[in-house]
Amino acid sequence: MLRLPVFDVAAPDKLTDALRSLADSQAGARPLGGGTDLLPNVKLGQTRMAMALLLRGVGELRGIERRGDNLWLGAGNTLAQVAQDEQVRDALPALAHAASRVASPQIRNMATLGGNLCLDTRCRYINQSEFWRQALGGCLKSHGSECHVVPGGQGCVAALSSDTAPALIAYDATVEIASWRDEGVQTREVPLAELYDSDGTRHVRLESTELLVGVRAPVPGLNVRVGHRKWAVRKSIDFPLISVALRLELDGALAAGGKLVVGVLGPRPRVLDLKAFAGRALAPDFARDLGQLAFDRCRPLPNVPYDAEYRRERLPVEVRRLALSLFGDQAAQS
Amino acid sequence: MPIAEPLDPARARRIAVVRLHVNGQAYAVAAPTHWTLLELLRYQLGLVGSKQGCDKGDCGACTVLLDGLPTLSCITLALSAEGRHVETVEGLGVGGEPHPLQRQFAERGAAQCGFCTPGMLMSSAHYLDELGRAASPVVRQQDIAAALGGNLCRCTGYTKIFEAVQAAADETCDRARALADGPGGAA
């Protein structure tokens, strides 16, 4: 049995009340969307909280709507809602795919989009119970100074296992962040790719008083294709061992640019620019070269389960297959 | 009523009253704020059908329907269920009669140790609900596997479970068609 330690609970129904609770440094409140990441982590002694701030009742965090050229998604939508929403499937199909591949049906019914973007990092060592970890002593992320997955490592390389983050970065999404300051709501907006830091102990660049409120993604035109692909040992429940998103910008039938976003390498997704591939035809050799780019520029670490060398060999294969799926008929014809 | 830990008066401010419906019945239950919905169901209401398996969201043995959706009660705070409707395996059968899923699980040997069964039944019950609502229901093996993707079984190898759900789903489809045909119809 894994019991939760004692903590208080607040359940605001207005954003201002939620932000006020976060601004109260005495309260020690932690935002709780679906709780599918936070509560197991609290149970495993990876993190602590004095108060759980239940965000379920906050109306401002819900809804998915078209705002001009953008699709706006409240951070409180569940992953099941994101995966099934007609507007998302229509405008941001790679996001719908990524959300549909997270964990299990139960977890997608509970977990929120904001929670998946702010997912804590994990590695083979930290993702265990406190009792198990005591045998090896602490680590860079848990009251220690030694990394147990990359011997001699100086920085925490625990991986971000979010599937929606690579997809939304490929859509050039920005996140809306709110906090309570000077007796009012302050908001700021940052590109999602810049939300993440390379330090696995504090990889989400949010102050403890700040809350991720929503995501805004420009709806791509007809000259843009975006796809997402995940590999895990099992089709269900598993965290991704590879999670990649590809954005392909086209000029007529040829590539004009785009980006390749590679997740689960470390604390932040790796973004590779594809300008150098402008002018390439959507043919199998282009897909192979995109895979080679991933192989050359990304080095999976032994931070998550499964053999790191196997993941390194598998990454270009996943990227090539993702590219071919975006090329569609054009690759078959060439 | 069994209580997992003494309700220490010094922590009184950390005890809340949760108002919720469980299997159609309204309750107001006192529970410590850090308790999960599973703990509330098992230790305050005595509904021990939902199982405490991995207790961290991996195995699905604690699956209940929360407002109709399969939910892991071991990582849902009891206070998150305030004002909501919970269905547990105890509410599946009606008037002492087993639910078609329970009958099929028993007849087809879909349980060995039985620990995962309550969760399997609740995820399957939601799949059957969705199937019953579909305009033209079709039972597909891959849909059953996807619906049960969050429930682990370490004994059966899943084959008998899938067969039992398939049989109950076929019954649901037959009933839906009979209803569509109307009284005295071809069914």
Side-chain angles (χ1 to χ4, degrees):
Chain A
M1 264 199 323
L2 291 166
R3 304 300 304 275
L4 285 163
V6 175
F7 52 75
D8 281 323
V9 171
D13 51 16
K14 284 201 275 301
L15 181 62
T16 48
D17 293 340
L19 296 177
R20 276 197 178 114
S21 291
L22 286 177
D24 177 3
S25 58
Q26 299 294 310
R30 291 281 299 269
L32 188 149
T36 55
D37 188 47
L38 182 60
L39 291 180
N41 289 350
V42 172
K43 283 186 169 190
L44 294 177
Q46 293 171 10
T47 187
R48 289 171 217 294
M49 61 183 168
M51 179 193 276
L53 188 65
L54 305 190
L55 299 174
R56 212 188 150 267
V58 179
E60 290 98 323
L61 301 177
R62 288 199 292 267
I64 295 173
E65 58 190 57
R66 187 80 185 226
R67 291 184 181 172
D69 294 334
N70 299 289
L71 195 65
W72 183 86
L73 301 102
N77 286 291
T78 65
L79 294 174
Q81 286 167 339
V82 171
Q84 288 158 13
D85 185 85
E86 284 302 324
Q87 292 183 90
V88 178
R89 292 167 76 118
D90 198 38
L92 311 172
L95 172 63
H97 177 266
S100 77
R101 290 297 317 276
V102 174
S104 65
Q106 292 97 318
I107 287 177
R108 290 192 295 274
N109 284 337
M110 305 160 69
T112 61
L113 180 62
N116 195 248
L117 293 177
C118 296
L119 208 62
D120 201 355
T121 54
R122 51 176 40 77
C123 73
R124 287 184 290 125
Y125 171 80
I126 195 80
N127 200 22
Q128 303 285 347
S129 71
E130 202 158 24
F131 172 77
W132 188 97
R133 296 197 307 268
Q134 273 169 4
L136 278 177
C139 74
L140 297 171
K141 193 172 162 69
S142 64
H143 332 287
S145 55
E146 191 187 348
C147 179
H148 297 293
V149 295
V150 179
Q154 296 300 304
C156 175
V157 292
L160 174 68
S161 305
S162 171
D163 285 300
T164 59
L168 277 167
I169 291 172
Y171 280 116
D172 286 335
T174 54
V175 286
E176 287 175 21
I177 295 160
S179 59
W180 183 262
R181 231 170 345 141
D182 304 328
E183 294 307 301
V185 177
Q186 309 287 324
T187 57
R188 66 185 178 105
E189 208 167 304
V190 293
L192 177 58
E194 290 169 26
L195 181 69
Y196 301 110
D197 190 274
S198 59
D199 178 355
T201 65
R202 38 173 306 143
H203 69 297
V204 178
R205 289 172 173 150
L206 282 180
E207 299 298 324
S208 62
T209 56
E210 289 184 316
L211 185 67
L212 199 157
V213 174
V215 182
R216 188 173 61 77
V219 176
L222 291 172
N223 61 335
V224 175
R225 295 181 195 173
V226 182
H228 170 264
R229 201 171 159 97
K230 165 176 174 171
W231 174 66
V233 176
R234 297 175 297 178
K235 280 193 190 127
S236 193
I237 298 190
D238 265 357
F239 285 112
L241 296 173
I242 291 174
S243 187
V244 286
L246 176 63
R247 176 192 183 90
L248 211 53
E249 290 161 7
L250 301 177
D251 183 4
L254 302 178
K259 61 176 84 167
L260 178 63
V261 190
V262 185
V264 212
L265 295 171
R268 68 174 163 195
R270 188 84 196 269
V271 184
L272 303 173
D273 189 86
L274 303 183
K275 270 195 205 80
F277 293 92
R280 294 288 297 267
L282 304 189
D285 65 321
F286 178 28
R288 246 190 330 271
D289 290 350
L290 287 171
Q292 188 64 41
L293 173 79
F295 183 80
D296 292 342
R297 301 280 300 277
C298 305
R299 186 170 282 274
L301 296 167
N303 50 359
V304 294
Y306 229 73
D307 184 55
E309 281 307 308
Y310 179 80
R311 288 172 63 227
R312 184 160 191 237
E313 297 283 345
R314 175 114 189 189
L315 177 60
V317 177
E318 295 293 333
V319 170
R320 179 168 53 82
R321 289 176 183 168
L322 172 59
L324 286 173
S325 73
L326 285 189
F327 292 175
D329 293 341
Q330 276 150 289
Q333 283 160 13
S334 56
Chain B
M1 202 89 73
I3 287 175
E5 61 186 55
L7 299 181
D8 179 357
R11 294 173 171 177
R13 72 188 183 89
R14 292 200 172 103
I15 292 172
V17 175
V18 187
R19 283 165 296 265
L20 75 174
H21 287 79
V22 181
N23 298 325
Q25 200 176 332
Y27 290 93
V29 192
T33 50
H34 66 285
W35 270 27
T36 63
L37 175 59
L38 180 64
E39 288 165 333
L40 180 144
L41 292 170
R42 289 180 62 90
Y43 305 136
Q44 292 289 63
L45 297 183
L47 297 171
V48 294
S50 311
K51 296 290 182 264
Q52 210 151 7
C54 71
D55 226 357
K56 57 191 179 69
D58 294 335
C59 78
C62 66
T63 303
V64 299
L65 302 187
L66 187 53
D67 288 343
L69 294 177
T71 299
L72 299 169
S73 60
C74 78
I75 51 170
T76 298
L77 290 181
L79 274 162
S80 295
E82 171 75 25
R84 300 171 79 184
H85 291 259
V86 182
E87 289 166 68
T88 70
V89 70
E90 286 90 347
L92 265 191
V94 179
E97 282 295 307
H99 186 279
L101 277 166
Q102 290 169 311
R103 186 164 37 74
Q104 293 291 356
F105 267 61
E107 284 176 6
R108 291 168 188 270
Q112 286 184 29
C113 87
F115 205 77
C116 73
T117 310
M120 290 284 179
L121 286 167
M122 297 318 287
S123 288
S124 307
H126 177 255
Y127 167 70
L128 256 54
D129 284 349
E130 299 266 278
L131 199 65
R133 274 198 293 271
S136 48
V138 184
V139 182
R140 280 186 302 223
Q141 184 88 32
Q142 75 243 41
D143 293 345
I144 295 173
L148 296 182
N151 294 83
L152 294 184
C153 172
R154 300 291 80 180
C155 308
T156 66
Y158 302 98
T159 305
K160 297 285 182 191
I161 295 172
F162 288 175
E163 284 173 8
V165 177
Q166 173 122 29
D170 287 339
E171 285 181 37
T172 303
C173 285
D174 290 346
R175 264 200 311 279
R177 280 189 211 104
L179 277 174
D181 290 341

